[in-house]
Amino acid sequence: MSNNDPSDSSYVKMSTADVVSPSGASSADTDASLIGKHCQLEYCNQLDFLPFFCQSCHKTFCLDHRSESSHNCSCAGAWAERRRLAQLARPSAGEGKRMRDLVAQKPCADDACKTIIGTSLVPGVHCTSCNRDYCLKHRLAEDHDCKSKVPIGARAMSAAATAATVQASAKSALERFKLWGKTKREEAARSMPKPKPSTAAQRMMALNTLKKTAKGDEKIPPEKRIYLFVEAENETAKAKIPKGEFFYNKEWVVGRVLDAAARSLQVQNINNQSSKEEDRLRVFHVEGGRMLEFNEKIERVLVNGNTIVLLRGVGPPPDLIEM
């Protein structure tokens, strides 16, 4: 036969070599088209030169009677049963491994999740980093905030050591942004000269250019607009558009300006989703040398031509630049 392995049907098509007479003549010196085999159905007996072999009753049939139902197979289903037993005898993919979902039923280790895991419908997934069990929704490390959890069984850092680490990190960030802020302030001063009599015309020209190029909500009345230079700090606030000129409603608070600026510069803004300071965006006023509070009205702290910068994870200190 052309294929000795079980196929997807109970019959297989016989090759030329299979239909050669078993009397000893080889396929090389015998014309297969003159041999063939007769259909073994009692009332058919048709000569078929490429007949079909039934894998259940082991008889030969023509094209019309090749299936078990068409020749009323005396061993119907034998082929399917052999195939089923062969599949059951094969080792499964998880043989020899112990699954974590055999643990007792318990809630998901994520603080905000109430899903019961360890059931037949909801298996538990074990995190080897924090040594906890989670549901499928929180199985990934970023989904259950794995990096902030102390692994179960590990020796936790003392409160003093943890506080010292946080303080050192904050101090390093503060010093870095002090230096960075001074540089930005000097750049802003060069682009917008101080209001001296000799530079008034230059300032007016720069402000007029800003008003022509700035983008914003056209529904804001011209008399209520404040025009600003907006940037995103490269290291903490990754932006697809690093800087731009925009106008906002002077009656808005800083928080609303931050949301609008983040959308314009395409910066990820999760202030409404996370309460952790390292995830939150802040607005830094270059000319004022300080972080702005979210509830401050911009008309009280900003003027046309000022520069604001979006930062992430720097906290709300009142001053980053010594005046």
Side-chain angles (χ1 to χ4, degrees):
M1 284 170 286
S2 60
N3 187 4
N4 293 327
D5 297 330
S7 63
D8 291 334
S9 61
S10 62
Y11 53 86
V12 291
K13 193 171 185 178
M14 301 177 69
S15 66
T16 303
D18 294 327
V19 299
V20 172
S21 175
S23 61
S26 64
S27 59
D29 54 7
T30 305
D31 188 354
S33 62
L34 300 178
I35 301 174
K37 284 197 175 184
H38 291 274
C39 176
Q40 291 186 265
L41 188 66
E42 184 178 358
Y43 63 83
C44 179
N45 202 32
Q46 176 183 336
L47 178 63
D48 197 324
F49 300 111
L50 288 176
F52 292 85
F53 181 78
C54 177
Q55 298 188 93
S56 292
C57 63
H58 304 291
K59 292 182 179 180
T60 305
F61 298 95
C62 65
L63 176 65
D64 294 335
H65 302 115
R66 66 188 185 279
S67 64
E68 291 181 349
S69 58
S70 61
H71 66 259
N72 294 324
C73 186
S74 58
C75 301
W79 160 83
E81 180 64 16
R82 288 198 304 271
R83 184 181 182 185
R84 186 183 69 83
L85 294 176
Q87 290 177 340
L88 291 176
R90 266 186 283 175
S92 62
E95 186 175 355
K97 298 180 180 179
R98 180 173 177 81
M99 299 181 65
R100 289 292 309 181
D101 59 4
L102 296 180
V103 298
Q105 296 184 11
K106 59 182 178 180
C108 172
D110 187 78
D111 297 333
C113 184
K114 298 180 180 179
T115 303
I116 301 299
I117 61 175
T119 66
S120 59
L121 297 178
V122 186
V125 179
H126 184 70
C127 177
T128 55
S129 298
C130 63
N131 203 23
R132 292 173 171 84
D133 295 304
Y134 297 92
C135 65
L136 296 178
K137 182 179 179 181
H138 299 106
R139 68 187 184 279
L140 301 179
E142 55 269 23
D143 292 333
H144 61 259
D145 196 17
C146 188
K147 62 182 179 180
S148 66
K149 298 182 182 296
V150 178
I152 295 177
R155 182 177 298 176
M157 294 176 63
S158 64
T162 304
T165 302
V166 174
Q167 185 176 3
S169 177
K171 185 177 180 180
S172 175
L174 182 61
E175 293 298 329
R176 179 162 53 90
F177 283 112
K178 274 187 177 182
L179 179 61
W180 177 84
K182 287 181 180 179
T183 304
K184 285 297 179 183
R185 191 179 182 190
E186 292 172 359
E187 292 177 358
R190 287 195 295 268
S191 62
M192 293 289 290
K194 295 182 179 180
K196 296 180 180 179
S198 60
T199 59
Q202 296 179 25
R203 288 184 57 81
M204 184 62 67
M205 186 180 300
L207 183 58
N208 288 336
T209 302
L210 174 61
K211 289 183 177 181
K212 291 179 181 179
T213 58
K215 300 177 182 179
D217 187 355
E218 296 297 337
K219 295 180 182 179
I220 301 175
E223 65 274 9
K224 291 186 178 181
R225 296 179 182 179
I226 183 169
Y227 297 84
L228 305 172
F229 294 98
V230 183
E231 299 183 21
E233 199 270 325
N234 291 333
E235 294 188 18
T236 61
K238 304 292 184 182
K240 293 185 178 179
I241 304 174
K243 62 175 66 176
E245 297 85 33
F246 304 97
F247 63 83
Y248 307 102
N249 193 324
K250 62 175 63 178
E251 296 179 354
W252 288 1
V253 295
V254 172
R256 186 171 180 181
V257 172
L258 184 150
D259 292 339
R263 286 194 300 270
S264 300
L265 299 182
Q266 299 184 34
V267 178
Q268 185 183 28
N269 181 10
I270 56 174
N271 284 14
N272 294 331
Q273 303 174 19
S274 176
S275 59
K276 297 180 180 179
E277 195 58 48
E278 60 266 25
D279 297 332
R280 309 192 80 188
L281 285 175
R282 291 278 179 177
V283 177
F284 177 69
H285 181 205
V286 174
E287 288 76 13
R290 70 182 183 91
M291 291 291 179
L292 301 181
E293 296 292 341
F294 295 137
N295 58 355
E296 291 184 89
K297 278 197 172 184
I298 61 173
E299 63 180 343
R300 298 179 182 175
V301 293
L302 302 174
V303 295
N304 286 324
N306 277 180
T307 300
I308 59 173
V309 182
L310 304 186
L311 308 169
R312 191 188 307 279
V314 296
D319 288 292
L320 287 180
I321 301 178
E322 297 177 1
M323 299 300 291

PDB file of all heavy atoms in Angstrom, residues 52-82:
ATOM      1  N   PHE A  52      -9.012   0.406  -3.559  1.00  0.00           N
ATOM      2  CA  PHE A  52      -8.845   0.941  -2.209  1.00  0.00           C
ATOM      3  C   PHE A  52      -8.835  -0.201  -1.206  1.00  0.00           C
ATOM      4  O   PHE A  52      -9.572  -1.183  -1.350  1.00  0.00           O
ATOM      5  CB  PHE A  52      -9.975   1.919  -1.872  1.00  0.00           C
ATOM      6  CG  PHE A  52      -9.924   3.189  -2.674  1.00  0.00           C
ATOM      7  CD1 PHE A  52     -10.505   3.252  -3.933  1.00  0.00           C
ATOM      8  CD2 PHE A  52      -9.287   4.318  -2.188  1.00  0.00           C
ATOM      9  CE1 PHE A  52     -10.453   4.412  -4.684  1.00  0.00           C
ATOM     10  CE2 PHE A  52      -9.228   5.479  -2.930  1.00  0.00           C
ATOM     11  CZ  PHE A  52      -9.819   5.533  -4.186  1.00  0.00           C
ATOM     12  N   PHE A  53      -8.006  -0.084  -0.194  1.00  0.00           N
ATOM     13  CA  PHE A  53      -7.851  -1.098   0.836  1.00  0.00           C
ATOM     14  C   PHE A  53      -8.540  -0.630   2.114  1.00  0.00           C
ATOM     15  O   PHE A  53      -8.246   0.452   2.630  1.00  0.00           O
ATOM     16  CB  PHE A  53      -6.368  -1.349   1.103  1.00  0.00           C
ATOM     17  CG  PHE A  53      -6.108  -2.409   2.139  1.00  0.00           C
ATOM     18  CD1 PHE A  53      -6.220  -3.765   1.834  1.00  0.00           C
ATOM     19  CD2 PHE A  53      -5.760  -2.059   3.437  1.00  0.00           C
ATOM     20  CE1 PHE A  53      -5.963  -4.734   2.793  1.00  0.00           C
ATOM     21  CE2 PHE A  53      -5.511  -3.011   4.395  1.00  0.00           C
ATOM     22  CZ  PHE A  53      -5.621  -4.354   4.088  1.00  0.00           C
ATOM     23  N   CYS A  54      -9.466  -1.426   2.615  1.00  0.00           N
ATOM     24  CA  CYS A  54     -10.178  -1.076   3.851  1.00  0.00           C
ATOM     25  C   CYS A  54      -9.329  -1.498   5.041  1.00  0.00           C
ATOM     26  O   CYS A  54      -8.953  -2.666   5.180  1.00  0.00           O
ATOM     27  CB  CYS A  54     -11.537  -1.777   3.900  1.00  0.00           C
ATOM     28  SG  CYS A  54     -12.434  -1.464   5.457  1.00  0.00           S
ATOM     29  N   GLN A  55      -9.030  -0.547   5.934  1.00  0.00           N
ATOM     30  CA  GLN A  55      -8.174  -0.819   7.084  1.00  0.00           C
ATOM     31  C   GLN A  55      -8.924  -1.480   8.235  1.00  0.00           C
ATOM     32  O   GLN A  55      -8.310  -1.825   9.239  1.00  0.00           O
ATOM     33  CB  GLN A  55      -7.517   0.478   7.576  1.00  0.00           C
ATOM     34  CG  GLN A  55      -6.604   1.122   6.543  1.00  0.00           C
ATOM     35  CD  GLN A  55      -5.825   2.282   7.114  1.00  0.00           C
ATOM     36  OE1 GLN A  55      -4.704   2.131   7.571  1.00  0.00           O
ATOM     37  NE2 GLN A  55      -6.439   3.464   7.083  1.00  0.00           N
ATOM     38  N   SER A  56     -10.232  -1.659   8.085  1.00  0.00           N
ATOM     39  CA  SER A  56     -11.008  -2.331   9.136  1.00  0.00           C
ATOM     40  C   SER A  56     -11.166  -3.824   8.842  1.00  0.00           C
ATOM     41  O   SER A  56     -10.854  -4.675   9.675  1.00  0.00           O
ATOM     42  CB  SER A  56     -12.377  -1.670   9.278  1.00  0.00           C
ATOM     43  OG  SER A  56     -12.245  -0.352   9.792  1.00  0.00           O
ATOM     44  N   CYS A  57     -11.672  -4.169   7.630  1.00  0.00           N
ATOM     45  CA  CYS A  57     -11.891  -5.579   7.303  1.00  0.00           C
ATOM     46  C   CYS A  57     -10.779  -6.156   6.428  1.00  0.00           C
ATOM     47  O   CYS A  57     -10.805  -7.352   6.103  1.00  0.00           O
ATOM     48  CB  CYS A  57     -13.243  -5.767   6.608  1.00  0.00           C
ATOM     49  SG  CYS A  57     -13.368  -4.911   5.005  1.00  0.00           S
ATOM     50  N   HIS A  58      -9.802  -5.291   6.000  1.00  0.00           N
ATOM     51  CA  HIS A  58      -8.646  -5.723   5.216  1.00  0.00           C
ATOM     52  C   HIS A  58      -9.030  -6.344   3.873  1.00  0.00           C
ATOM     53  O   HIS A  58      -8.434  -7.324   3.431  1.00  0.00           O
ATOM     54  CB  HIS A  58      -7.782  -6.706   6.019  1.00  0.00           C
ATOM     55  CG  HIS A  58      -7.325  -6.168   7.337  1.00  0.00           C
ATOM     56  ND1 HIS A  58      -6.407  -5.142   7.447  1.00  0.00           N
ATOM     57  CD2 HIS A  58      -7.671  -6.504   8.605  1.00  0.00           C
ATOM     58  CE1 HIS A  58      -6.188  -4.867   8.728  1.00  0.00           C
ATOM     59  NE2 HIS A  58      -6.968  -5.679   9.458  1.00  0.00           N
ATOM     60  N   LYS A  59     -10.036  -5.800   3.228  1.00  0.00           N
ATOM     61  CA  LYS A  59     -10.445  -6.255   1.899  1.00  0.00           C
ATOM     62  C   LYS A  59     -10.250  -5.117   0.908  1.00  0.00           C
ATOM     63  O   LYS A  59     -10.066  -3.962   1.293  1.00  0.00           O
ATOM     64  CB  LYS A  59     -11.901  -6.709   1.906  1.00  0.00           C
ATOM     65  CG  LYS A  59     -12.141  -7.975   2.721  1.00  0.00           C
ATOM     66  CD  LYS A  59     -13.602  -8.405   2.645  1.00  0.00           C
ATOM     67  CE  LYS A  59     -13.838  -9.689   3.454  1.00  0.00           C
ATOM     68  NZ  LYS A  59     -15.263 -10.109   3.367  1.00  0.00           N
ATOM     69  N   THR A  60     -10.337  -5.463  -0.374  1.00  0.00           N
ATOM     70  CA  THR A  60     -10.102  -4.490  -1.436  1.00  0.00           C
ATOM     71  C   THR A  60     -11.431  -4.133  -2.109  1.00  0.00           C
ATOM     72  O   THR A  60     -12.246  -5.011  -2.388  1.00  0.00           O
ATOM     73  CB  THR A  60      -9.143  -5.072  -2.487  1.00  0.00           C
ATOM     74  OG1 THR A  60      -7.944  -5.497  -1.840  1.00  0.00           O
ATOM     75  CG2 THR A  60      -8.801  -4.034  -3.543  1.00  0.00           C
ATOM     76  N   PHE A  61     -11.609  -2.815  -2.397  1.00  0.00           N
ATOM     77  CA  PHE A  61     -12.868  -2.349  -2.980  1.00  0.00           C
ATOM     78  C   PHE A  61     -12.594  -1.314  -4.048  1.00  0.00           C
ATOM     79  O   PHE A  61     -11.517  -0.704  -4.111  1.00  0.00           O
ATOM     80  CB  PHE A  61     -13.768  -1.758  -1.886  1.00  0.00           C
ATOM     81  CG  PHE A  61     -14.157  -2.748  -0.832  1.00  0.00           C
ATOM     82  CD1 PHE A  61     -13.428  -2.842   0.357  1.00  0.00           C
ATOM     83  CD2 PHE A  61     -15.235  -3.605  -1.017  1.00  0.00           C
ATOM     84  CE1 PHE A  61     -13.769  -3.757   1.327  1.00  0.00           C
ATOM     85  CE2 PHE A  61     -15.580  -4.525  -0.039  1.00  0.00           C
ATOM     86  CZ  PHE A  61     -14.841  -4.610   1.132  1.00  0.00           C
ATOM     87  N   CYS A  62     -13.613  -1.114  -4.887  1.00  0.00           N
ATOM     88  CA  CYS A  62     -13.522  -0.104  -5.936  1.00  0.00           C
ATOM     89  C   CYS A  62     -13.819   1.276  -5.356  1.00  0.00           C
ATOM     90  O   CYS A  62     -14.112   1.423  -4.171  1.00  0.00           O
ATOM     91  CB  CYS A  62     -14.499  -0.429  -7.069  1.00  0.00           C
ATOM     92  SG  CYS A  62     -16.236  -0.349  -6.559  1.00  0.00           S
ATOM     93  N   LEU A  63     -13.777   2.296  -6.222  1.00  0.00           N
ATOM     94  CA  LEU A  63     -13.983   3.674  -5.788  1.00  0.00           C
ATOM     95  C   LEU A  63     -15.352   3.864  -5.143  1.00  0.00           C
ATOM     96  O   LEU A  63     -15.480   4.545  -4.117  1.00  0.00           O
ATOM     97  CB  LEU A  63     -13.821   4.609  -6.985  1.00  0.00           C
ATOM     98  CG  LEU A  63     -14.099   6.098  -6.737  1.00  0.00           C
ATOM     99  CD1 LEU A  63     -13.064   6.670  -5.767  1.00  0.00           C
ATOM    100  CD2 LEU A  63     -14.072   6.872  -8.058  1.00  0.00           C
ATOM    101  N   ASP A  64     -16.384   3.235  -5.708  1.00  0.00           N
ATOM    102  CA  ASP A  64     -17.746   3.445  -5.215  1.00  0.00           C
ATOM    103  C   ASP A  64     -17.995   2.776  -3.871  1.00  0.00           C
ATOM    104  O   ASP A  64     -18.898   3.184  -3.136  1.00  0.00           O
ATOM    105  CB  ASP A  64     -18.765   2.916  -6.239  1.00  0.00           C
ATOM    106  CG  ASP A  64     -18.734   3.712  -7.531  1.00  0.00           C
ATOM    107  OD1 ASP A  64     -18.329   4.897  -7.470  1.00  0.00           O
ATOM    108  OD2 ASP A  64     -19.082   3.156  -8.587  1.00  0.00           O
ATOM    109  N   HIS A  65     -17.236   1.734  -3.542  1.00  0.00           N
ATOM    110  CA  HIS A  65     -17.501   0.967  -2.320  1.00  0.00           C
ATOM    111  C   HIS A  65     -16.326   1.020  -1.339  1.00  0.00           C
ATOM    112  O   HIS A  65     -16.130   0.114  -0.535  1.00  0.00           O
ATOM    113  CB  HIS A  65     -17.815  -0.499  -2.675  1.00  0.00           C
ATOM    114  CG  HIS A  65     -18.975  -0.644  -3.599  1.00  0.00           C
ATOM    115  ND1 HIS A  65     -18.848  -1.136  -4.887  1.00  0.00           N
ATOM    116  CD2 HIS A  65     -20.289  -0.330  -3.439  1.00  0.00           C
ATOM    117  CE1 HIS A  65     -20.040  -1.136  -5.479  1.00  0.00           C
ATOM    118  NE2 HIS A  65     -20.934  -0.647  -4.623  1.00  0.00           N
ATOM    119  N   ARG A  66     -15.546   2.091  -1.405  1.00  0.00           N
ATOM    120  CA  ARG A  66     -14.339   2.169  -0.572  1.00  0.00           C
ATOM    121  C   ARG A  66     -14.631   2.461   0.895  1.00  0.00           C
ATOM    122  O   ARG A  66     -13.881   2.061   1.773  1.00  0.00           O
ATOM    123  CB  ARG A  66     -13.387   3.240  -1.113  1.00  0.00           C
ATOM    124  CG  ARG A  66     -13.915   4.673  -1.021  1.00  0.00           C
ATOM    125  CD  ARG A  66     -12.967   5.626  -1.762  1.00  0.00           C
ATOM    126  NE  ARG A  66     -13.349   7.018  -1.607  1.00  0.00           N
ATOM    127  CZ  ARG A  66     -14.290   7.638  -2.292  1.00  0.00           C
ATOM    128  NH1 ARG A  66     -14.965   6.948  -3.214  1.00  0.00           N
ATOM    129  NH2 ARG A  66     -14.577   8.909  -2.086  1.00  0.00           N
ATOM    130  N   SER A  67     -15.728   3.144   1.204  1.00  0.00           N
ATOM    131  CA  SER A  67     -16.019   3.494   2.601  1.00  0.00           C
ATOM    132  C   SER A  67     -16.686   2.337   3.327  1.00  0.00           C
ATOM    133  O   SER A  67     -17.274   1.435   2.713  1.00  0.00           O
ATOM    134  CB  SER A  67     -16.924   4.727   2.668  1.00  0.00           C
ATOM    135  OG  SER A  67     -18.173   4.454   2.081  1.00  0.00           O
ATOM    136  N   GLU A  68     -16.615   2.335   4.650  1.00  0.00           N
ATOM    137  CA  GLU A  68     -17.183   1.260   5.460  1.00  0.00           C
ATOM    138  C   GLU A  68     -18.685   1.136   5.258  1.00  0.00           C
ATOM    139  O   GLU A  68     -19.241   0.042   5.192  1.00  0.00           O
ATOM    140  CB  GLU A  68     -16.861   1.493   6.938  1.00  0.00           C
ATOM    141  CG  GLU A  68     -15.392   1.328   7.300  1.00  0.00           C
ATOM    142  CD  GLU A  68     -15.144   1.546   8.780  1.00  0.00           C
ATOM    143  OE1 GLU A  68     -16.072   2.020   9.467  1.00  0.00           O
ATOM    144  OE2 GLU A  68     -14.040   1.235   9.256  1.00  0.00           O
ATOM    145  N   SER A  69     -19.355   2.271   5.174  1.00  0.00           N
ATOM    146  CA  SER A  69     -20.817   2.234   5.034  1.00  0.00           C
ATOM    147  C   SER A  69     -21.247   1.726   3.661  1.00  0.00           C
ATOM    148  O   SER A  69     -22.259   1.037   3.530  1.00  0.00           O
ATOM    149  CB  SER A  69     -21.393   3.638   5.271  1.00  0.00           C
ATOM    150  OG  SER A  69     -20.833   4.564   4.348  1.00  0.00           O
ATOM    151  N   SER A  70     -20.446   2.024   2.607  1.00  0.00           N
ATOM    152  CA  SER A  70     -20.858   1.630   1.256  1.00  0.00           C
ATOM    153  C   SER A  70     -20.676   0.134   1.002  1.00  0.00           C
ATOM    154  O   SER A  70     -21.363  -0.439   0.153  1.00  0.00           O
ATOM    155  CB  SER A  70     -20.082   2.437   0.208  1.00  0.00           C
ATOM    156  OG  SER A  70     -18.691   2.182   0.329  1.00  0.00           O
ATOM    157  N   HIS A  71     -19.766  -0.515   1.709  1.00  0.00           N
ATOM    158  CA  HIS A  71     -19.626  -1.977   1.505  1.00  0.00           C
ATOM    159  C   HIS A  71     -20.059  -2.774   2.746  1.00  0.00           C
ATOM    160  O   HIS A  71     -19.742  -3.966   2.864  1.00  0.00           O
ATOM    161  CB  HIS A  71     -18.181  -2.346   1.108  1.00  0.00           C
ATOM    162  CG  HIS A  71     -17.146  -2.093   2.177  1.00  0.00           C
ATOM    163  ND1 HIS A  71     -16.310  -0.987   2.157  1.00  0.00           N
ATOM    164  CD2 HIS A  71     -16.785  -2.812   3.279  1.00  0.00           C
ATOM    165  CE1 HIS A  71     -15.488  -1.042   3.185  1.00  0.00           C
ATOM    166  NE2 HIS A  71     -15.768  -2.141   3.888  1.00  0.00           N
ATOM    167  N   ASN A  72     -20.807  -2.117   3.654  1.00  0.00           N
ATOM    168  CA  ASN A  72     -21.337  -2.790   4.852  1.00  0.00           C
ATOM    169  C   ASN A  72     -20.225  -3.576   5.562  1.00  0.00           C
ATOM    170  O   ASN A  72     -20.294  -4.808   5.710  1.00  0.00           O
ATOM    171  CB  ASN A  72     -22.504  -3.722   4.504  1.00  0.00           C
ATOM    172  CG  ASN A  72     -23.705  -2.958   3.993  1.00  0.00           C
ATOM    173  OD1 ASN A  72     -23.988  -1.856   4.469  1.00  0.00           O
ATOM    174  ND2 ASN A  72     -24.409  -3.526   3.015  1.00  0.00           N
ATOM    175  N   CYS A  73     -19.198  -2.835   5.952  1.00  0.00           N
ATOM    176  CA  CYS A  73     -17.992  -3.440   6.516  1.00  0.00           C
ATOM    177  C   CYS A  73     -18.334  -4.349   7.696  1.00  0.00           C
ATOM    178  O   CYS A  73     -19.084  -3.982   8.607  1.00  0.00           O
ATOM    179  CB  CYS A  73     -17.016  -2.351   6.954  1.00  0.00           C
ATOM    180  SG  CYS A  73     -15.422  -2.993   7.501  1.00  0.00           S
ATOM    181  N   SER A  74     -17.776  -5.566   7.653  1.00  0.00           N
ATOM    182  CA  SER A  74     -18.033  -6.540   8.725  1.00  0.00           C
ATOM    183  C   SER A  74     -17.298  -6.184  10.011  1.00  0.00           C
ATOM    184  O   SER A  74     -17.636  -6.695  11.089  1.00  0.00           O
ATOM    185  CB  SER A  74     -17.612  -7.936   8.262  1.00  0.00           C
ATOM    186  OG  SER A  74     -16.226  -7.941   7.902  1.00  0.00           O
ATOM    187  N   CYS A  75     -16.280  -5.322   9.908  1.00  0.00           N
ATOM    188  CA  CYS A  75     -15.503  -4.890  11.093  1.00  0.00           C
ATOM    189  C   CYS A  75     -15.552  -3.372  11.215  1.00  0.00           C
ATOM    190  O   CYS A  75     -14.526  -2.727  11.486  1.00  0.00           O
ATOM    191  CB  CYS A  75     -14.058  -5.363  10.990  1.00  0.00           C
ATOM    192  SG  CYS A  75     -13.858  -7.141  10.844  1.00  0.00           S
ATOM    193  N   ALA A  76     -16.718  -2.820  10.966  1.00  0.00           N
ATOM    194  CA  ALA A  76     -16.844  -1.360  10.982  1.00  0.00           C
ATOM    195  C   ALA A  76     -16.374  -0.782  12.312  1.00  0.00           C
ATOM    196  O   ALA A  76     -16.725  -1.266  13.379  1.00  0.00           O
ATOM    197  CB  ALA A  76     -18.294  -0.967  10.716  1.00  0.00           C
ATOM    198  N   GLY A  77     -15.541   0.257  12.211  1.00  0.00           N
ATOM    199  CA  GLY A  77     -15.050   0.930  13.409  1.00  0.00           C
ATOM    200  C   GLY A  77     -13.763   0.363  13.958  1.00  0.00           C
ATOM    201  O   GLY A  77     -13.170   0.939  14.878  1.00  0.00           O
ATOM    202  N   ALA A  78     -13.287  -0.770  13.433  1.00  0.00           N
ATOM    203  CA  ALA A  78     -12.057  -1.381  13.949  1.00  0.00           C
ATOM    204  C   ALA A  78     -10.856  -0.462  13.734  1.00  0.00           C
ATOM    205  O   ALA A  78      -9.996  -0.312  14.606  1.00  0.00           O
ATOM    206  CB  ALA A  78     -11.826  -2.725  13.263  1.00  0.00           C
ATOM    207  N   TRP A  79     -10.801   0.161  12.547  1.00  0.00           N
ATOM    208  CA  TRP A  79      -9.695   1.090  12.262  1.00  0.00           C
ATOM    209  C   TRP A  79      -9.705   2.273  13.225  1.00  0.00           C
ATOM    210  O   TRP A  79      -8.672   2.665  13.771  1.00  0.00           O
ATOM    211  CB  TRP A  79      -9.828   1.577  10.819  1.00  0.00           C
ATOM    212  CG  TRP A  79      -9.068   2.851  10.547  1.00  0.00           C
ATOM    213  CD1 TRP A  79      -7.750   2.954  10.253  1.00  0.00           C
ATOM    214  CD2 TRP A  79      -9.590   4.178  10.573  1.00  0.00           C
ATOM    215  NE1 TRP A  79      -7.402   4.269  10.091  1.00  0.00           N
ATOM    216  CE2 TRP A  79      -8.517   5.044  10.280  1.00  0.00           C
ATOM    217  CE3 TRP A  79     -10.853   4.718  10.804  1.00  0.00           C
ATOM    218  CZ2 TRP A  79      -8.674   6.421  10.212  1.00  0.00           C
ATOM    219  CZ3 TRP A  79     -11.010   6.084  10.750  1.00  0.00           C
ATOM    220  CH2 TRP A  79      -9.936   6.933  10.462  1.00  0.00           C
ATOM    221  N   ALA A  80     -10.890   2.848  13.463  1.00  0.00           N
ATOM    222  CA  ALA A  80     -11.000   4.001  14.359  1.00  0.00           C
ATOM    223  C   ALA A  80     -10.622   3.629  15.790  1.00  0.00           C
ATOM    224  O   ALA A  80      -9.982   4.406  16.509  1.00  0.00           O
ATOM    225  CB  ALA A  80     -12.420   4.569  14.310  1.00  0.00           C
ATOM    226  N   GLU A  81     -11.001   2.426  16.226  1.00  0.00           N
ATOM    227  CA  GLU A  81     -10.673   1.984  17.579  1.00  0.00           C
ATOM    228  C   GLU A  81      -9.159   1.795  17.734  1.00  0.00           C
ATOM    229  O   GLU A  81      -8.584   2.174  18.761  1.00  0.00           O
ATOM    230  CB  GLU A  81     -11.404   0.674  17.882  1.00  0.00           C
ATOM    231  CG  GLU A  81     -11.138   0.113  19.267  1.00  0.00           C
ATOM    232  CD  GLU A  81     -11.639   1.012  20.389  1.00  0.00           C
ATOM    233  OE1 GLU A  81     -12.451   1.918  20.106  1.00  0.00           O
ATOM    234  OE2 GLU A  81     -11.228   0.810  21.544  1.00  0.00           O
ATOM    235  N   ARG A  82      -8.511   1.214  16.724  1.00  0.00           N
ATOM    236  CA  ARG A  82      -7.055   1.053  16.789  1.00  0.00           C
ATOM    237  C   ARG A  82      -6.354   2.411  16.856  1.00  0.00           C
ATOM    238  O   ARG A  82      -5.387   2.597  17.596  1.00  0.00           O
ATOM    239  CB  ARG A  82      -6.557   0.270  15.566  1.00  0.00           C
ATOM    240  CG  ARG A  82      -6.904  -1.198  15.556  1.00  0.00           C
ATOM    241  CD  ARG A  82      -6.036  -1.966  14.571  1.00  0.00           C
ATOM    242  NE  ARG A  82      -6.105  -1.427  13.226  1.00  0.00           N
ATOM    243  CZ  ARG A  82      -6.992  -1.785  12.307  1.00  0.00           C
ATOM    244  NH1 ARG A  82      -7.933  -2.703  12.623  1.00  0.00           N
ATOM    245  NH2 ARG A  82      -6.985  -1.267  11.109  1.00  0.00           N
TER     246      ARG A  82
END
